[in-house]
Amino acid sequence: MILVTGGAGYVGSHCVLALLGNGYDVVIFDNLELGHIETVETLKSIQASGKVIDFIQGDLKNLSDIQNVFKKHEIEVVVHFAAYSQVAESMKNPQKYFSNNVDGTVNLLKSMIENGVKRIVFSSTAATYGEPIYTPIDENHPQKPINPYGETKLKIEKIMDEYDKSFNLKSVRLRYFNVAGADNRARIGEWHEPETHLIPNILKSTFGCGKTFQMFGTDYDTIDGTCVRDYINVEDLAKAHVLALDYLEKGGETNFFNLGTNNGNSVKEVFSVCEKVTGEKIPVDIQPRREGDPAILVADNQKAKKVLGWVPEKTLEDSILSAYNWAKKLSK
Ligand code: UFG
């Protein structure tokens, strides 16, 4: 049985869906601070070869909460998403990030070791690289985070290395670039409050709701002056987690992989695909740069392709269409 921490959140829930489709039985652990019970209920109702066996509401900051999960279920492997992930918030309140993300993970690892569980797939981030010195960014790029959020994820990667040395705990760290889109049947999707990400924010200005999309910065040194990001579809991303589990199951060593498409799109390009997909003229205001945004972040994804056999298949348009279908559902 697989334990998925943060399984009620955006990426976690899509990963649970992929695991169920691949015949895994899943236990979801989530404190529901950012995740949603409705998402858990949807996942529980899904008829697939695997099942959501249990949902346990608990907080990784409380050691006994997570220890109890291992007492109740025979967990073989963990996929770990539970974390705070807002860069701006992390700069205002680093303590919140270190306490939740780092200390919470240490509690999880302690419980794993106590129970002889030695495999984990971890949700890491491109934010561990910091300001790029070259692009596309491969896994050998120096890791020098420029905000506490990225710092917490890098610390966890390093802690996992120590757990490998001391306890033979094998980890796969998946460094996500910009995750986008939703389940193609709109059963689950991105649901953040407040929403800070580009695509859902553009889509929020549709449906005639009178909101104007705020575009941050048009004076970057890029093709059209706006920031370039690598938008990776959430279903493609989820598939990589299933492959990472196979890799560990076959005796794979601790490893780390970028998850992106090898392609960048500017904010203006994303905006125009959103207009095309929705068929709407979306109101936009040009704003100054948002603090801490690097001009270009694009992944070199060759390693994940080669070692895991991962092939991202969906286009930016696919991601925006599925995000739109989900946003319509959410706005009702
Ligand atoms: N943007 C806007 N308007 C908005 C929201 C975003 O113009 O309303 C712009 C941003 O300024 C940026 C781009 O759209 O140029 C992408 O911004 P996102 O907030 O969607 O994503 P980020 O690239 O800032 O952050 C993402 C993840 C982080 C992770 C980071 C790693 O959300 O968790 O990638 O590179 F740390």
Side-chain angles (χ1 to χ4, degrees):
M1 200 173 304
I2 296 196
L3 168 63
V4 180
T5 74
Y10 172 41
V11 179
S13 60
H14 288 81
C15 188
V16 170
L17 207 50
L19 293 170
L20 300 180
N22 280 275
Y24 286 100
D25 289 338
V26 174
V27 175
I28 297 175
F29 178 83
D30 199 298
N31 65 7
L32 295 185
E33 188 186 330
L34 301 170
H36 299 273
I37 191 66
E38 294 87 340
T39 304
V40 174
E41 274 154 13
T42 303
L43 292 170
K44 275 187 166 172
S45 71
I46 282 166
Q47 302 291 318
S49 47
K51 281 194 205 60
V52 174
I53 298 290
D54 201 1
F55 164 64
I56 299 174
Q57 186 169 358
D59 198 314
L60 283 180
K61 292 194 289 303
N62 303 326
L63 179 61
S64 60
D65 283 8
I66 187 66
Q67 282 174 321
N68 287 337
V69 175
F70 286 86
K71 274 186 202 141
K72 190 168 172 199
H73 293 287
E74 204 157 305
I75 305 295
E76 289 152 76
V77 53
V78 177
V79 189
H80 176 35
F81 297 96
Y84 293 133
S85 64
Q86 286 193 25
V87 171
E89 183 190 49
S90 80
M91 285 157 97
K92 284 194 201 112
N93 192 353
Q95 178 55 37
K96 178 175 172 180
Y97 276 69
F98 283 100
S99 152
N100 185 66
N101 295 5
V102 181
D103 299 352
T105 302
V106 171
N107 283 342
L108 171 65
L109 296 176
K110 179 173 164 58
S111 311
M112 288 175 66
I113 298 307
E114 282 169 356
N115 290 278
V117 180
K118 298 284 179 75
R119 284 172 290 154
I120 185 165
V121 176
F122 171 57
S123 154
S124 188
T125 171
T128 58
Y129 295 117
E131 190 70 47
I133 28 185
Y134 59 85
T135 61
I137 298 173
D138 59 22
E139 289 82 356
N140 297 323
H141 187 287
Q143 286 182 293
K144 290 191 179 156
I146 52 167
N147 54 61
Y149 165 63
E151 199 66 64
T152 61
K153 292 281 180 170
L154 179 57
K155 281 224 151 46
I156 295 167
E157 289 204 16
K158 292 197 164 144
I159 290 168
M160 287 179 173
D161 280 334
E162 296 308 321
Y163 272 68
D164 189 357
K165 284 183 214 148
S166 302
F167 304 113
N168 199 30
L169 180 136
K170 302 297 175 197
S171 63
V172 171
R173 285 96 67 145
L174 299 174
R175 298 178 188 152
Y176 312 157
F177 281 66
N178 288 56
V179 190
D183 167 47
N184 61 35
R185 290 163 63 188
R187 292 168 295 184
I188 54 173
E190 189 164 9
W191 187 357
H192 296 122
E193 286 154 1
E195 187 53 74
T196 60
H197 293 118
L198 178 63
I199 294 171
N201 273 353
I202 299 174
L203 296 174
K204 272 188 171 173
S205 299
T206 60
F207 319 121
C209 67
K211 277 198 191 119
T212 300
F213 165 65
Q214 314 286 310
M215 185 181 283
F216 301 128
T218 51
D219 59 349
Y220 288 93
D221 186 14
T222 58
I223 39 160
D224 58 17
T226 61
C227 287
V228 171
R229 295 287 182 274
D230 184 339
Y231 295 90
I232 175 70
N233 178 272
V234 71
E235 291 185 311
D236 279 338
L237 191 90
K239 278 193 308 193
H241 294 71
V242 177
L243 293 169
L245 287 167
D246 289 347
Y247 166 89
L248 285 174
E249 203 166 321
K250 288 184 186 130
E253 286 299 323
T254 286
N255 218 329
F256 40 86
F257 303 96
N258 286 340
L259 297 183
T261 67
N262 255 42
N263 278 311
N265 286 101
S266 72
V267 172
K268 280 188 179 164
E269 284 171 343
V270 172
F271 182 80
S272 66
V273 179
C274 287
E275 287 200 321
K276 182 177 159 210
V277 166
T278 62
E280 289 195 36
K281 181 100 194 88
I282 302 172
V284 54
D285 256 354
I286 307 294
Q287 295 289 332
R289 292 181 179 199
R290 190 175 69 176
E291 205 190 330
D293 279 342
I296 302 179
L297 283 176
V298 177
D300 179 328
N301 65 7
Q302 295 310 311
K303 187 177 172 194
K305 282 183 168 166
K306 212 168 127 196
V307 180
L308 297 178
W310 179 62
V311 186
E313 284 163 337
K314 306 234 176 195
T315 62
L316 178 63
E317 202 163 323
D318 295 333
S319 293
I320 291 175
L321 180 60
S322 62
Y324 182 52
N325 289 334
W326 165 252
K328 272 194 274 191
K329 199 168 160 186
L330 202 57
S331 72
K332 276 180 193 148

